[in-house]
Structure formats: C-alpha cells, structure tokens
Amino acid sequence: MKCRVCGETASIALRSHKTAFCDTHFLIFFEKRVQTTIRRYGLIRAGDRPIVAVSGGKDSLSLWALLQRMGIAADGIYVNLGIGDYSRVSLEKIKAVADAIGRKVHIFHVPATFQRDITEVAKVLRRAPCSACGMIKRYVMNKICIEKGYNLLLTGHNLDDEAAALFGNVLYWKKEYLWKKDISLEEDEGHLSRKAKPFFLCSEREVAAYAIISGIDYIYEECPFSKGAKTITYKNILGSIEESSPGTKLMFIKGYLKELEEIKRSSPHEGFRGSNAGTGYCGACGYPSGGGLCGYCRTLEKLEIPYSAEFEEYG
Ligand code: Q46
Ligand code: ZN
Ligand code: ZN
C-alpha cells in the first residue's frame, strides 16, 4: 500500500478513512484532524489557559505534546493513586514529557494526603476503587483550575472511549447519562472550569500510532482496575463491527454529536450540560457539593485526617 500524499510505502492504513500514509504524512494528517476538531467545536478559544489531565498513557501524553507542537501552551495535572509500579512508571513518563516540552505538571499524591493508596481509601469508603478515584480526581482537578487560574481542562478521551461509553448508555437506556457525553462541557457549579476532549474523533489506534511515530514514551499497562470493566467488552464488540464495516465507530459518534447539537439548539434551556451541577457548597472547603460535606471532605473526616489538598509542582 502506498502513502496517499507522497506515494512512498505506507506505514499505516486507515480503513475508516479509506486511505494510507507514510509516517511523516500520517503525523500531518493526524495533527490537522485534531486542529479541525478544535476549531469546528470551539474547544480551545483565544485567551484560554488550558491544563491537560495526564495519566502517563498514550492519549493524554500525545495530546499534551501535540498541543505544544500546535503552539498551545498547557501545563499538566496528574493524580498519583499510589498503585505500586503502575503509578511510579506513569509519573516517570509524565515527567519525561514535561521536560521535553518545557511545561510544568501539578502532582496530587493520594498516599500523602489520605495516608493510604486508592485501594485502601476505597475500602474505607466501601466503594469501588474507580468510584473513589473519580471523586478524588474531580475534586483535585477542580481545585487546581481554580487556584492556579486554568479555565479549561483537557482530557485525552478518544473515539473508542466515547463510542464504548455511548454504546453502554444506549444498550441500557441510561437516559440520565445519554446526552451528557459531549465533546465539551461549559463551566457550571459542578465543573469549575470548561472541559474539552480534542481526541473525541480520533481512534485509539490512530492515537497510539501518533505516539509511537512521534516518539512519545508512554506506559503501555492500563490501570489494574480498568481490567474487566464493561467498557472493554463494549470496545471489543465495536471493534469487530468496525472490522467488517470500517468507519462505523466514527459515524456512530459523529451522528451522536449532530443529534446533540440539534437538541441543544431546539431546547437551549433544558440544562443538558449543566445537569452535573451541585446544589450547594461544602461546609468545610466551600467547593460545590450535592449538599452537606463534599465527597473529598467526607473521606478525610471518615479517616480522621485534617483537611489538606497539597500539590507537588514539577518543572
Ligand atoms: S478510574 Fe479506575 Fe481509571 Fe481510577 S482506579 Fe484506575 S481505572 S485510573 S480512568
Ligand atoms: Zn507520505
Ligand atoms: Zn469539601
């Protein structure tokens, strides 16, 4: 197979786009597509001060490095869950990218604040690790945005992540989540900064190819708690549909975004975006909460640890 642009031997075939590229032209194609997505959906606006939620994986590190190449300066935020080698190696990779692009990363260490790792925190709360992790991440990401003046939180969610989540929501008709999976979320009381996902229309395979070709060193292992998650099953199902009908995932997600735009246009006050807003503020820290203490402060209280939310700054 030949590269569509230069005619040299192609290194990657993109069946969903009915095309193939050599390394150089794939990088150009990929960056252009992300740029078009950012523009088309107004993900990053003039005057924004973005921060990227980095995990050490291919998606977030590729996004971070790509933004830098596009001339968009963004710092990073990392939540160290204290999961042995997985967290240690993730942080090493993040610091290497921070050094390479000359940006700083704010690091929140779960073990330093909660005196135990995320597994132990979850046990105390009698919640699944992912539920405790999600609550802490939301809190500290909100906090860093407010304290350091970042108005936009960018995440590396890709097409496969979004298609799997949407598939699950449709399969079980989870109407309460169905229309909340937008490519961007305006700030509201629950989310103190805007949020956006520039890789929304890029497949996992494309992002991995981008990371490898551009020499981004990322952690291959997934978080140990992601194993067995339903989304992996959904990704496999969608993967086999994609195999026989290339482009289906992209059509699924683009159709969803179109539908969402329609809904927002016809009922702008329905609050599809703001439905995650809290109804009050935490009595201890003043952050939005559904009423009473927020989850973060409740956790500290349960563990009999005084309030703290310190970040290490690297770079
Ligand atoms: S939620 Fe769960 Fe992820 Fe947190 S505990 Fe790991 S798998 S990292 S996005
Ligand atoms: Zn080429
Ligand atoms: Zn609180």
Side-chain angles (χ1 to χ4, degrees):
M1 203 173 298
K2 302 225 178 294
C3 169
R4 186 178 80 188
V5 184
C6 68
E8 295 291 318
T9 308
S11 52
I12 182 164
L14 303 177
R15 289 178 64 208
S16 54
H17 297 278
K18 296 191 183 75
T19 191
F21 293 107
C22 66
D23 284 1
T24 311
H25 291 112
F26 171 73
L27 293 184
I28 295 170
F29 164 83
F30 185 86
E31 289 180 5
K32 230 189 208 160
R33 279 199 47 233
V34 175
Q35 208 152 17
T36 308
T37 306
I38 290 174
R39 250 191 245 127
R40 157 76 177 80
Y41 295 95
L43 302 187
I44 303 174
R45 304 167 192 164
D48 275 343
R49 222 182 138 227
I51 187 166
V52 181
V54 287
S55 68
K58 63 181 182 321
D59 303 296
S60 56
L61 291 187
S62 294
L63 176 61
W64 204 16
L66 188 153
L67 290 173
Q68 186 71 12
R69 281 171 69 116
M70 284 168 54
I72 299 169
D75 292 330
I77 158 87
Y78 172 62
V79 177
N80 165 20
L81 301 170
I83 308 176
D85 278 354
Y86 169 73
S87 295
R88 187 182 52 77
V89 176
S90 299
L91 186 51
E92 278 172 18
K93 310 278 183 198
I94 290 166
K95 285 181 173 174
V97 173
D99 290 341
I101 64 174
R103 303 302 313 176
K104 72 167 82 126
V105 56
H106 304 277
I107 307 162
F108 178 82
H109 297 279
V110 168
T113 300
F114 293 96
Q115 299 166 11
R116 47 195 49 78
D117 64 25
I118 194 67
T119 324
E120 295 299 317
V121 174
K123 264 189 210 150
V124 173
L125 296 177
R126 295 189 186 177
R127 285 165 83 161
C130 290
S131 155
C133 169
M135 178 270 290
I136 293 172
K137 278 184 180 169
R138 270 192 302 279
Y139 185 86
V140 298
M141 286 177 188
N142 264 340
K143 189 164 174 75
I144 203 76
C145 287
I146 295 282
E147 280 185 2
K148 302 285 179 183
Y150 300 105
N151 70 325
L152 175 63
L153 178 69
L154 299 171
T155 60
H157 292 96
N158 61 46
L159 176 71
D160 294 62
D161 298 326
E162 298 304 322
L166 178 60
F167 187 66
N169 290 338
V170 171
L171 206 56
Y172 293 101
W173 286 111
K174 292 186 186 165
K175 287 192 193 163
E176 67 278 25
Y177 300 125
L178 192 55
W179 299 111
K180 285 186 189 165
K181 287 263 155 205
D182 207 347
I183 191 166
S184 69
L185 286 168
E186 289 303 318
E187 61 200 270
D188 61 34
E189 291 173 74
H191 301 291
L192 303 172
S193 60
R194 254 170 51 233
K195 288 185 176 176
K197 304 170 183 172
F199 286 171
F200 211 88
L201 301 176
C202 303
S203 74
E204 198 159 322
R205 182 169 162 264
E206 288 162 11
V207 180
Y210 181 81
I212 291 165
I213 296 170
S214 49
I216 294 163
D217 186 19
Y218 63 88
I219 182 162
Y220 294 104
E221 288 80 41
E222 301 273 342
C223 169
F225 296 110
S226 68
K227 287 194 186 96
K230 268 190 180 166
T231 43
I232 296 183
T233 312
Y234 299 152
K235 277 186 182 179
N236 291 338
I237 295 169
L238 290 167
S240 43
I241 299 175
E242 182 75 21
E243 190 58 38
S244 52
S245 311
T248 305
K249 270 187 293 199
L250 195 56
M251 270 172 56
F252 185 41
I253 283 299
K254 276 189 163 173
Y256 170 77
L257 285 178
K258 205 168 156 223
E259 205 58 39
L260 195 53
E261 272 181 339
E262 266 311 302
I263 291 174
K264 283 185 288 197
R265 232 193 321 267
S266 56
S267 43
H269 305 299
E270 284 293 304
F272 287 104
R273 298 181 156 219
S275 41
N276 283 332
T279 51
Y281 293 89
C282 171
C285 71
Y287 275 64
S289 80
L293 287 186
C294 69
Y296 185 91
C297 290
R298 253 199 323 253
T299 307
L300 287 171
E301 192 186 57
K302 213 165 195 171
L303 295 169
E304 297 179 0
I305 297 171
Y307 179 84
S308 81
E310 300 293 323
F311 293 86
E312 178 198 340
E313 198 173 295
Y314 178 85

